Coordinates of all heavy atoms in Angstrom, one line a residue:
N1 N -27.2 5.5 -11.8 CA -26.2 5.2 -12.9 C -26.9 5.1 -14.2 O -26.2 5.2 -15.2 CB -25.4 3.9 -12.6 CG -24.2 4.2 -11.6 OD1 -23.6 5.2 -11.7 ND2 -23.9 3.3 -10.8
A2 N -28.2 4.7 -14.2 CA -28.9 4.7 -15.4 C -28.9 6.0 -16.1 O -28.9 6.0 -17.4 CB -30.4 4.1 -15.1
Y3 N -29.1 7.1 -15.4 CA -29.1 8.4 -16.0 C -27.7 8.8 -16.4 O -27.5 9.5 -17.4 CB -29.6 9.4 -15.0 CG -31.1 9.4 -14.9 CD1 -31.7 8.8 -13.7 CD2 -31.9 9.9 -15.9 CE1 -33.1 8.6 -13.6 CE2 -33.3 9.8 -15.8 CZ -33.9 9.2 -14.6 OH -35.3 9.1 -14.6
V4 N -26.6 8.3 -15.7 CA -25.2 8.6 -16.1 C -25.1 7.9 -17.4 O -24.4 8.5 -18.3 CB -24.2 8.0 -15.1 CG1 -22.9 8.1 -15.5 CG2 -24.5 8.7 -13.7
L5 N -25.4 6.7 -17.6 CA -25.4 6.1 -18.9 C -26.0 6.8 -20.1 O -25.5 7.0 -21.1 CB -25.9 4.6 -18.7 CG -25.0 3.6 -18.1 CD1 -25.9 2.3 -17.9 CD2 -23.9 3.3 -19.1
A6 N -27.3 7.1 -19.7 CA -28.1 7.8 -20.8 C -27.4 9.1 -21.2 O -27.4 9.4 -22.4 CB -29.5 8.1 -20.2
F7 N -27.0 10.0 -20.3 CA -26.5 11.2 -20.7 C -25.0 11.1 -21.3 O -24.6 11.9 -22.0 CB -26.4 12.1 -19.5 CG -27.7 12.7 -19.1 CD1 -28.4 12.4 -17.9 CD2 -28.4 13.6 -19.9 CE1 -29.7 12.8 -17.6 CE2 -29.6 14.2 -19.7 CZ -30.3 13.7 -18.6
S8 N -24.3 9.9 -20.9 CA -23.0 9.7 -21.5 C -23.3 9.3 -23.0 O -22.2 9.5 -23.7 CB -22.3 8.5 -20.8 OG -22.1 8.9 -19.4
S9 N -24.4 8.9 -23.4 CA -24.5 8.4 -24.7 C -24.2 9.6 -25.7 O -23.8 9.3 -26.9 CB -25.9 7.9 -24.9 OG -27.0 8.9 -24.8
I10 N -24.5 10.8 -25.3 CA -24.3 11.9 -26.3 C -22.8 12.2 -26.5 O -22.4 12.4 -27.5 CB -24.9 13.2 -25.6 CG1 -24.8 14.4 -26.8 CG2 -24.4 13.8 -24.3 CD1 -25.6 15.7 -26.3
A11 N -22.1 11.9 -25.5 CA -20.5 12.0 -25.6 C -20.1 10.8 -26.5 O -19.2 11.0 -27.4 CB -19.9 11.9 -24.2
L12 N -20.6 9.7 -26.3 CA -20.2 8.4 -27.0 C -20.6 8.7 -28.5 O -19.8 8.3 -29.4 CB -20.7 7.2 -26.5 CG -20.4 6.8 -25.1 CD1 -21.3 5.7 -24.6 CD2 -18.9 6.3 -25.2
F13 N -21.8 9.3 -28.7 CA -22.2 9.5 -30.1 C -21.2 10.4 -30.9 O -20.8 10.2 -31.9 CB -23.6 10.2 -30.2 CG -24.0 10.7 -31.4 CD1 -24.6 9.7 -32.3 CD2 -23.9 12.0 -31.7 CE1 -25.1 10.2 -33.5 CE2 -24.4 12.4 -33.0 CZ -24.9 11.5 -33.9
F14 N -20.9 11.5 -30.2 CA -20.0 12.5 -30.8 C -18.6 12.1 -30.9 O -17.8 12.4 -31.9 CB -20.0 13.8 -30.1 CG -21.0 14.9 -30.6 CD1 -22.2 15.0 -30.0 CD2 -20.9 15.4 -31.9 CE1 -23.2 15.9 -30.5 CE2 -21.9 16.2 -32.4 CZ -23.0 16.4 -31.7
F15 N -18.2 11.2 -30.0 CA -16.8 10.5 -30.1 C -16.9 9.6 -31.4 O -15.8 9.6 -32.2 CB -16.5 9.7 -28.9 CG -15.3 10.3 -28.2 CD1 -15.5 10.6 -26.9 CD2 -14.1 10.4 -28.8 CE1 -14.4 11.2 -26.1 CE2 -13.1 10.9 -28.0 CZ -13.2 11.3 -26.8
A16 N -17.8 9.1 -31.6 CA -18.0 8.1 -32.9 C -18.0 9.0 -34.2 O -17.3 8.7 -35.1 CB -19.2 7.3 -32.8
V17 N -18.7 10.1 -34.1 CA -18.6 11.0 -35.2 C -17.3 11.6 -35.4 O -16.7 11.7 -36.6 CB -19.6 12.2 -35.0 CG1 -19.5 13.3 -36.1 CG2 -21.0 11.6 -34.9
A18 N -16.6 12.0 -34.3 CA -15.2 12.5 -34.4 C -14.3 11.5 -35.0 O -13.4 11.9 -35.8 CB -14.7 12.9 -33.0
L19 N -14.4 10.2 -34.6 CA -13.6 9.2 -35.1 C -13.8 9.0 -36.6 O -12.7 8.9 -37.4 CB -13.9 7.8 -34.4 CG -13.0 6.7 -34.8 CD1 -11.6 7.0 -34.6 CD2 -13.5 5.4 -34.1
V20 N -15.1 9.0 -37.1 CA -15.4 8.9 -38.5 C -14.7 9.9 -39.3 O -14.1 9.9 -40.3 CB -16.8 8.8 -38.7 CG1 -17.2 8.9 -40.2 CG2 -17.4 7.5 -38.1
V21 N -14.9 11.3 -38.8 CA -14.3 12.5 -39.5 C -12.8 12.4 -39.6 O -12.2 12.7 -40.6 CB -14.8 13.8 -38.7 CG1 -14.0 14.9 -39.2 CG2 -16.3 13.9 -38.8
S22 N -12.1 12.0 -38.4 CA -10.7 12.0 -38.5 C -10.2 10.8 -39.4 O -9.2 11.1 -40.1 CB -10.1 11.6 -37.1 OG -10.6 10.3 -36.7
I23 N -10.9 9.7 -39.5 CA -10.6 8.7 -40.5 C -10.7 9.3 -42.0 O -9.8 9.0 -42.8 CB -11.5 7.5 -40.3 CG1 -11.0 6.8 -39.0 CG2 -11.1 6.4 -41.4 CD1 -11.9 5.6 -38.6
V24 N -11.8 9.9 -42.2 CA -12.1 10.4 -43.6 C -11.0 11.5 -43.9 O -10.4 11.5 -45.1 CB -13.5 11.1 -43.6 CG1 -13.6 11.9 -44.9 CG2 -14.6 10.1 -43.6
L25 N -10.7 12.4 -43.0 CA -9.6 13.4 -43.1 C -8.3 12.7 -43.5 O -7.6 13.2 -44.3 CB -9.5 14.4 -42.1 CG -10.7 15.3 -41.8 CD1 -10.5 16.0 -40.6 CD2 -10.8 16.3 -43.1
F26 N -8.1 11.6 -42.7 CA -6.7 10.9 -42.9 C -6.6 10.4 -44.3 O -5.6 10.6 -44.9 CB -6.6 9.8 -41.8 CG -5.5 8.9 -42.1 CD1 -4.2 9.1 -41.9 CD2 -5.8 7.5 -42.6 CE1 -3.2 8.3 -42.1 CE2 -4.8 6.6 -42.9 CZ -3.4 7.0 -42.6
Y27 N -7.7 9.7 -44.9 CA -7.6 9.1 -46.2 C -7.6 10.2 -47.3 O -7.0 10.0 -48.4 CB -8.8 8.1 -46.3 CG -8.4 6.8 -45.6 CD1 -9.1 6.4 -44.5 CD2 -7.4 6.0 -46.2 CE1 -8.8 5.3 -43.8 CE2 -7.1 4.7 -45.5 CZ -7.8 4.4 -44.3 OH -7.6 3.3 -43.7
I28 N -8.4 11.4 -47.1 CA -8.3 12.4 -48.0 C -6.9 12.9 -48.1 O -6.4 13.2 -49.2 CB -9.3 13.5 -47.6 CG1 -10.7 13.1 -47.8 CG2 -9.1 14.7 -48.4 CD1 -11.7 14.0 -47.3
K29 N -6.2 13.2 -46.9 CA -4.9 13.7 -46.9 C -3.9 12.8 -47.6 O -3.0 13.1 -48.3 CB -4.5 14.0 -45.5 CG -3.1 14.7 -45.3 CD -3.3 16.2 -45.7 CE -1.9 16.9 -45.3 NZ -2.0 18.4 -45.7
K30 N -4.1 11.4 -47.4 CA -3.3 10.4 -47.9 C -3.4 10.4 -49.4 O -2.3 10.2 -50.2 CB -3.8 9.0 -47.3 CG -2.8 7.9 -47.7 CD -3.3 6.7 -46.9 CE -2.3 5.5 -47.3 NZ -2.8 4.2 -46.6
Q31 N -4.6 10.6 -50.0 CA -4.9 10.5 -51.5 C -4.2 11.8 -52.0 O -3.6 11.7 -53.2 CB -6.4 10.6 -51.8 CG -7.1 9.3 -51.4 CD -6.5 8.1 -52.2 OE1 -6.2 8.3 -53.4 NE2 -6.3 7.0 -51.5
I32 N -4.2 13.0 -51.4 CA -3.7 14.1 -51.9 C -2.2 14.0 -52.0 O -1.5 14.5 -53.0 CB -4.0 15.4 -51.0 CG1 -5.5 15.7 -51.1 CG2 -3.2 16.7 -51.4 CD1 -5.9 16.8 -50.1
R33 N -1.5 13.4 -51.0 CA -0.1 13.2 -51.0 C 0.3 12.3 -52.2 O 1.3 12.3 -52.8 CB 0.3 12.4 -49.8 CG 0.3 13.3 -48.5 CD 0.6 12.6 -47.4 NE 0.4 13.3 -46.1 CZ 0.5 12.8 -44.9 NH1 0.7 11.6 -44.7 NH2 0.4 13.7 -43.8

């Protein structure tokens, strides 16, 4: 499971990036409106 955790970290990393991008896009779209 130690390796499962380690390799899962790449998915968690990109999920965090995706969340930040979606928040940024949300606020950009909100300002345009």
Side-chain angles (χ1 to χ4, degrees):
N1 278 324
Y3 284 103
V4 173
L5 278 171
F7 286 111
S8 297
S9 64
I10 184 173
L12 293 169
F13 172 82
F14 269 105
F15 246 119
V17 173
L19 181 58
V20 170
V21 170
S22 65
I23 292 171
V24 170
L25 290 174
F26 169 75
Y27 281 108
I28 290 174
K29 188 75 174 179
K30 190 176 180 181
Q31 291 299 319
I32 293 174
R33 289 174 185 171

